[in-house]
Structure formats: structure tokens, C-alpha cells
């Protein structure tokens, strides 16, 4: 028979209950931890991180905790948060306290202005900031459940308690923000609409721009002759930004420089067309789709404020201004469609600002290319003047000075070869010179002893060019005369 199964071991004993912390000495106080407790109903009876752990934690070192966080003797105890601090979140309470100090107005006056629809003393920016600090639904419930006197609450909580007692306080605050923002915002939108309309009219009326576009079309068809892109009737204006990509054989020059050069050659006024497009650059920075979206947003905000009786006078005037803005927008959209059709561009939402951006960049590039051409021409003129000056200097240094009439011509000491094609001058008979002396003792180059003979007077130097050879021989004989090699007697 099988042996009997031994009984299971008894369960372990629970850990001993930690002893209660020893009582603090009289007058001792611990520093407080300012946290926001979770309500007990959020923890009890459900699974959460705050449920008791399966394994109990070891006991804390309470003596060290008290030693670290005991208030020193004689210190003023820190103020504990008021019970009403739980009415608002901690961050919202701090931000609201800072905001109320910036307004520098009594809390009761601010609440009364919101109730009566007075928002001018605060401005749209402050009112919008206050609308972002409104309490959440849970905070509104806690504020409504407060039964004590608001004067005992801190300033942020007291303000919110008074504000939540105003009927439709959120709609009233939104109406104040709308009243302060509507007119400036609508003026900005009307200005954007007028800028787009003016830019479209300038593009339609600028004849110089149209002539330059035809110039580019002619040049492009010549470059693309024989290809798939040749003989084009027109081109998309976005292709204007590709003109600098077609480089020329000369360094630093491309097709845009050529267009500027040809425009200046045909008519200097063609290069001044950017001065007639004053609104094109501004229109290129406007988002036409956002303008229409903002008008719809304003219309929705006006519709949301119709339930308040205090908003009736403002709503009547605002709706009339909004209808006028819609009429201006529809008229501008029709003009934009006509402009896009004139330039053979696709009519789409936001296409006119894109077209303005392309033409604005093209105008700036064409002006820069015209400036480059001018500087290149100036550099070429300076280079030609420098080369002309160098040639003149070389010619001046190589040519003999003009002796003038009556001046005696200087005869060169070395024989000059006759010019090609000219007959040599007849050789003249040398003038008589001193007879050569025989060498003494048969030595070569020896001079005779005794007194040297009287030197004959040299013949006068002829002035005519034909006597140059005779004069040269005479000078050579005189240099090799009797005084050579011996001192004169």
C-alpha cells in the first residue's frame, strides 16, 4: 500500500507589523510635501498602481527621514496649501495668478467687464490668453460645488469661482475676443485681396513684360530648332527660371544675360518693367487659399455668437462688413482666372500667387543680369584702353624724336643696312687721310723713333647721309693712329 501523503507545510507567518513611529519631541515639525492627492474612490475596488502590492515593502528608515526633514527650531513653519487649492490644477492656478497680476485690475471689475461685454481695456491678446486659461469640466464641477465664501480663497480660485457664476461666461469671453480681433483681421484680409487684384491688373497691362516674353520665345525657338521643343507657340512661365541653366560659351554668361543684352539693344525701357509690377512681389507672399479659409472662419465665429443678446449690434455691423469682403474676394477670383487664362496657365486655387512669385524672381534675375552685362562692358572698355595705351607707349619709345626744321641730323655710328627695295647709295671716295707709317725694325705694329709727324687736320664731318660710311672709316683710322701704344711726344 502507498504511504500516506504528508500534509502541506503551514503558510508562512505574516511579517510583523512595523512599530508606530516614535512621537516627535514637543515643538518639532516636519516639512510638508505639497502634492495633489488622488480621490479615494479612484483607488478603492479597482486595479491601479496604487493598489496594495503583493509583497509588502520593507519598513522605511523613519528616524533618518525625520532627521532629514525636521524643521529647525525657531523657524517659521511653511504655509500648507489651502484646501481650496484643489479647485484648480496647480499649473493653471499659477498661470492664472501671474495673468491677473499683469492686468492690474480688481478681480470683481474684470468679471463685471466680461459680463457687460467690455473688452477694449484689455485688448484681443489678453482676452485670448484668458480664454486659454478657462477651467476644464472637472474643475468647473469642483468650482460649482464650493459652498464657502470666495473671499477666503486665493486670488486665482476666487476669480474662477466668480467667473463661473456668470451665465455663458465662455461665450461672452469668446465674443469679446471676436470684437477685438474682427476689424483688424478683416482689414488685413481685405488688404490681401486688393493686393492680389492689383498684381493681376499689373501683369495684364505691362507691355514691356509681354515684349520680353516674345523675345525669349524667339530665342528659344532658334535654340530648339529641329528638336521636339522647337517651333513653340508659347511656353509655361515657370520655364523663365530655367534660363540661367543654359550656359554660354563665354565665362559668366548665360541665356538670361543674352536676353538682357538684347532687350537693352532694342529698347532700354524694356528693362524697366519691374518698376511697373509694384504689387507682384507682395502678392507672391500671400496664400490665397488661407485668405478664403480665414473668411469662412470669421463667418463661423459670428454664427456662434448669435445666441447672445448683447452681441446683436456688433453682429449686424460685422456681418455687413463680411459680406463686402466676400464680394471683393469673388471679384478678385474672377480677375485672377482671366489673368491666368491670358498667360495660358492653369486656373487653380492659389495659382496667381505662384505666377507672381515666378515673375518676381525672373524680374530680379533679369536686373542682375543687366548689371552684369554693364560691368562686363566697362571691363572690356578699360582693357581696350589699356592695350591702346601700351601700343602708343611702345611706338613712342621706338620712334626717333623729330629734330625739327633746321636741325642737324645725327648720323649713326654703325652702318645701317639698306632698306629692302631701295638701291644702295653710290659709294663716295674716302677723303685723304694720314699715310700709314712703316713699322720700325720690321716689327709688326712698332712705331718709328724720333719726333712724330704733324697730324693732318681731319676732314669735317659731312652732314649728308651719304658721307656716313666715309666718316666711319676716318674715325677708325684716327683711333689706330700714331698715338696708339705710346704716349704722345
Amino acid at each position: 500500500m502507498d504511504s500516506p501523503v504528508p500534509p502541506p507545510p503551514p503558510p508562512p507567518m505574516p511579517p510583523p507589523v512595523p512599530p508606530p513611529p516614535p512621537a516627535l519631541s514637543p515643538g518639532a515639525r516636519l516639512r510638508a510635501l505639497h502634492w495633489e492627492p488622488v480621490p479615494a474612490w479612484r483607488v478603492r475596488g479597482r486595479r491601479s498602481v496604487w493598489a496594495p502590492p503583493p509583497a509588502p515593502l520593507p519598513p522605511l528608515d523613519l528616524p533618518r527621514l525625520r532627521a532629514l526633514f525636521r524643521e529647525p527650531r525657531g523657524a517659521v513653519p511653511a504655509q500648507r496649501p489651502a484646501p481650496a487649492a484643489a479647485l484648480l490644477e496647480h499649473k493653471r492656478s499659477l498661470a492664472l495668478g501671474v495673468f491677473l497680476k499683469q492686468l492690474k485690475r480688481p478681480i470683481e471689475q474684470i468679471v463685471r467687464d466680461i459680463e457687460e461685454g467690455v473688452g477694449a481695456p484689455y485688448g484681443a491678446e489678453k482676452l485670448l490668453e484668458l480664454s486659454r486659461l478657462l477651467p476644464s469640466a472637472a474643475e468647473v464641477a469642483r468650482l460649482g460645488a464650493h459652498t464657502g465664501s470666495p473671499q477666503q480663497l486665493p486670488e486665482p480660485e476666487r476669480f474662477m469661482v466668480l467667473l463661473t457664476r456668470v451665465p455663458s461666461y465662455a461665450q461672452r469671453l469668446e465674443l469679446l475676443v471676436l470684437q477685438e480681433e474682427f476689424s483688424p483681421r478683416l482689414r488685413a484680409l481685405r488688404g490681401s485681396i486688393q493686393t492680389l487684384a492689383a498684381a493681376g491688373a499689373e501683369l495684364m497691362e505691362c507691355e514691356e513684360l509681354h515684349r520680353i516674353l516674345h523675345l525669349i520665345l524667339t530665342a528659344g525657338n532658334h535654340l530648339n530648332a529641329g528638336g521636339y521643343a522647337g517651333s513653340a507657340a508659347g511656353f509655361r512661365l515657370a520655364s523663365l527660371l530655367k534660363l540661367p541653366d543654359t550656359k554660354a560659351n563665354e565665362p559668366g554668361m548665360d541665356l538670361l544675360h543674352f536676353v538682357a543684352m538684347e532687350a537693352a539693344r532694342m529698347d532700354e525701357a524694356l528693362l524697366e518693367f519691374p518698376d511697373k509690377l509694384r504689387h507682384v512681389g507682395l502678392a507672391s507672399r500671400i496664400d490665397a487659399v488661407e485668405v478664403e479659409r480665414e473668411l469662412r472662419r470669421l463667418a463661423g465665429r459670428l454664427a456662434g455668437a448669435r445666441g447672445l443678446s448683447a452681441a446683436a449690434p456688433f453682429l449686424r455691423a460685422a456681418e455687413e462688413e463680411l459680406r463686402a469682403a466676400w464680394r471683393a474676394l469673388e471679384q478678385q477670383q474672377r480677375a485672377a482666372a482671366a489673368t491666368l487664362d491670358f498667360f495660358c496657365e492653369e486656373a487653380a486655387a492659389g495659382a496667381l500667387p505662384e505666377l507672381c512669385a515666378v515673375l518676381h524672381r525672373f524680374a530680379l534675375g533679369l536686373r542682375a543680369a543687366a548689371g552684369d552685362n554693364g560691368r562686363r562692358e566697362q571691363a572690356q572698355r578699360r582693357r581696350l584702353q589699356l592695350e591702346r595705351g601700351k601700343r602708343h607707349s611702345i611706338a613712342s619709345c621706338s620712334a626717333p624724336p623729330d629734330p625739327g626744321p633746321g636741325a642737324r641730323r645725327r648720323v649713326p655710328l654703325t652702318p645701317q643696312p639698306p632698306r629692302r627695295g631701295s638701291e644702295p647709295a653710290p659709294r663716295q671716295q674716302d677723303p685723304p687721310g694720314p699715310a700709314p707709317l712703316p713699322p720700325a725694325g720690321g716689327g709688326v705694329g712698332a712705331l718709328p723713333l724720333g719726333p712724330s709727324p704733324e697730324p693732318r687736320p681731319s676732314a669735317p664731318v659731312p652732314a649728308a647721309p651719304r658721307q656716313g660710311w666715309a666718316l666711319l672709316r676716318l674715325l677708325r683710322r684716327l683711333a689706330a693712329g700714331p698715338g696708339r701704344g705710346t704716349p704722345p711726344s
Side-chain angles (χ1 to χ4, degrees), residues 19-30:
L24 296 176
S25 59
R29 185 186 296 272
L30 297 179

Side-chain angles (χ1 to χ4, degrees), residues 2-70:
D2 296 338
S3 59
V5 179
M13 298 296 295
V17 179
L24 296 176
S25 59
R29 185 186 296 272
L30 297 179
R31 293 188 177 92
L33 171 60
H34 303 288
W35 61 15
E36 184 177 355
V38 178
W41 61 269
R42 297 290 302 272
V43 177
R44 294 173 182 170
R46 60 187 298 271
R47 183 175 178 272
S48 67
V49 68
W50 305 116
L57 298 176
L60 296 178
D61 189 356
L62 297 180
R64 182 170 179 79
L65 179 66
R66 288 192 295 269
L68 290 175
F69 299 98
R70 181 186 293 114

